[in-house]
Amino acid sequence: MKKFVLSPLVISLTLLVGCAASKQQSNSDSVVSDFKDAMSCVTSHSKPSPNSASNISLKLVGTYVSGNPFDTSSAEIVSYDECADKIYVVNSQDKTVDILGFSDSGAPTKVGRIDLQQAAINAGIEIGAANSVSAAEGLVAVAIEAAVKQDAGIVALYRSDNLSLLNTYPTGALPDMVALSSDAKFIVIANEGEPNGQYTVDPEGSVTIVDLSNGYQQAVVSQVSFANFNDGM
């Protein structure tokens, strides 16, 4: 059954106020080594230290409104990338990912968007809506369903600094959630496999795993089936 998330087309940004420690740049090996040297992570923001939780308070510093009609999934899934210091917002209505930066006061403001049509051309398919986004270590992964939901979709991988498309990878039917590992070496996608209205076509639900350890051009894509868990197996 399809899970619907009902939310207003507003993103509220809260500011965590408390004792903060200086932000440390990650020293972990990056999967994006073939272009990482050309990227510089933003390090201007600080974050609370682990032992300051008792002093944390929340304060609303601003909101962002997509401008599309209510209940059109135009601001459903949000992901923040510490490296780029940007928020990435799935806009299913426009088939884009909206990108939010921060004003001097910390309020979110739209600074750009990712048009997903180039990903469709790269993959050689007609696309439907974007369903999920995940950002980490200067990479942005977007789960995109096919124009016909019962067909295999794709996950598209972008650079966060210039928004260029790095590659696309095949998924199962209706990729509905995507997650980048914290080191950006793996992408995991949950494929919902939603049937059509008449239940004459009912694709299998599955999980897609993209191993980026050897770089985005040499990625290894695995489709994980749950067929062995069917009754009688």
Side-chain angles (χ1 to χ4, degrees), residues 117-127 153-154 165 168-170:
Q117 290 303 320
Q118 185 57 48
I121 295 171
N122 185 80
I125 68 169
E126 293 186 19
I127 61 170
I154 59 173
L165 176 68
T168 59
Y169 310 102

Side-chain angles (χ1 to χ4, degrees), residues 16-87:
L16 300 180
V17 181
C19 297
S22 298
K23 177 177 173 181
Q24 300 296 321
Q25 187 170 0
S26 173
N27 293 320
S28 61
D29 293 336
S30 175
V31 63
V32 293
S33 58
D34 40 5
F35 70 88
K36 186 70 173 178
D37 291 341
M39 298 175 60
S40 297
C41 288
V42 175
T43 59
S44 60
H45 287 264
S46 60
K47 56 186 177 181
S49 60
N51 60 0
S52 65
S54 60
N55 297 321
I56 289 177
S57 61
L58 300 179
K59 177 182 178 182
L60 179 67
V61 296
T63 61
Y64 165 74
V65 181
S66 75
N68 286 336
F70 179 77
D71 200 22
T72 56
S73 298
S74 295
E76 183 181 3
I77 306 298
V78 177
S79 182
Y80 171 74
D81 179 30
E82 190 175 32
C83 177
D85 195 31
K86 295 289 189 297
I87 298 173

Side-chain angles (χ1 to χ4, degrees), residues 77 79 88-92 95-98 114-116 119 127-135 139-145 153-158 165 167-169 171 175-180 187-189:
I77 306 298
S79 182
Y88 300 87
V89 186
V90 169
N91 189 330
S92 298
K95 296 182 180 179
T96 64
V97 173
D98 294 337
I114 299 174
D115 189 327
L116 304 176
I127 61 170
N131 291 320
S132 185
V133 63
S134 181
L139 294 178
V140 183
V142 186
I144 310 170
E145 67 185 50
I154 59 173
V155 60
L157 187 66
Y158 297 87
L165 176 68
N167 212 342
T168 59
Y169 310 102
T171 68
D176 197 51
M177 181 178 179
V178 62
L180 265 167
I187 311 173
V188 180
I189 306 99

